[in-house]
Amino acid sequence: MRIATLTSTFIALGLITGTTFAGEADAARVKRGAQLAAYGGCVDCHTPFKIGPNGPEKDMARGLSGHPAELVLPAPPKLDGPWNWGGAGSMTAFVGPWGISYASNLTPDRETGIGAWSENDFIQAMRKGKHLGVGRPIMPPMPWQSVGSLPDQDLRALFAYLKAQPSVKNKVPEYVPPVASNR
């Protein structure tokens, strides 16, 4: 009886210790992901601006939620010559020779963000430059080539950080391909 009790106690302690180490590892991974997101400027394009007391500022209540669904933009200006791309004042929509691209919702919302993505889906998207690793191309100015060059460990950390963010329901508009010119 004492051996069974001792065995149960050691197993329980092992599980608690293992859980503690796993929790610490997860926290370290999320912290590393936060560093990578800050260094890579993820918030710069994936968080819309709002007008604050000192002028334009990031709307952190909508952090990493991408281009606001309710912000319908007019047609972009004509771009010629060396001025061949531009961005909206929200810093979440961009136009250039590739068409019009909108910053994606990177929050863990399962319907409108990356909540249904697996870690492998994220890694493949960054490595291949395609949504979920197999969908349409990820368009400029998203620097997927640079992000995709990170080691797997860093991509896993970045994904863990994104999944740890508050979920924001925000259906970003679809990419708009370039209009064929009549030249």
Side-chain angles (χ1 to χ4, degrees), residues 44-45 47-50 58 67-68 71 73 87-94:
D44 295 341
C45 293
T47 300
F49 274 90
K50 68 176 182 176
K58 293 291 180 185
H67 182 79
L71 179 56
L73 298 172
S90 65
M91 289 299 294
T92 57
F94 307 91

Side-chain angles (χ1 to χ4, degrees), residues 76-80 83 183:
K78 183 175 172 133
L79 302 171
D80 284 326
W83 290 97
R183 294 184 190 186

Side-chain angles (χ1 to χ4, degrees), residues 18-182:
T19 302
T20 301
F21 288 144
E24 290 171 5
D26 289 346
R29 180 180 280 188
V30 169
K31 182 178 179 182
R32 174 66 178 155
Q35 292 170 328
L36 292 165
Y39 180 75
C42 300
V43 170
D44 295 341
C45 293
H46 291 273
T47 300
F49 274 90
K50 68 176 182 176
I51 299 300
N54 298 315
E57 61 186 34
K58 293 291 180 185
D59 183 356
M60 295 314 292
R62 299 183 69 154
L64 297 169
S65 66
H67 182 79
E70 70 280 0
L71 179 56
V72 178
L73 298 172
K78 183 175 172 133
L79 302 171
D80 284 326
W83 290 97
N84 65 1
W85 78 284
S90 65
M91 289 299 294
T92 57
F94 307 91
V95 63
W98 63 86
I100 303 172
S101 53
Y102 299 93
S104 297
N105 183 343
L106 299 181
T107 75
D109 183 73
R110 292 192 62 79
E111 292 176 35
T112 65
I114 63 167
W117 288 36
S118 71
E119 186 178 80
N120 188 57
D121 292 334
F122 179 76
I123 291 171
Q124 291 307 305
M126 294 301 100
R127 295 263 191 258
K128 296 178 179 180
K130 295 183 179 287
H131 282 263
L132 295 168
V134 296
R136 74 154 179 84
I138 297 173
M139 305 311 289
M142 175 60 195
W144 64 266
Q145 300 91 335
S146 296
V147 177
S149 72
L150 292 170
D152 283 352
Q153 180 178 343
D154 282 346
L155 288 174
R156 286 192 293 273
L158 186 54
F159 184 69
Y161 168 74
L162 295 173
K163 294 285 268 197
Q165 300 310 297
S167 180
V168 178
K169 186 171 287 306
N170 179 49
K171 176 105 172 86
V172 172
E174 294 293 324
Y175 158 72
V176 179
V179 177
S181 65
N182 296 330

Side-chain angles (χ1 to χ4, degrees), residues 3-20:
I3 292 176
T5 303
L6 278 174
T7 302
S8 297
T9 302
F10 286 131
I11 289 172
L13 285 174
L15 290 174
I16 291 169
T17 303
T19 302
T20 301

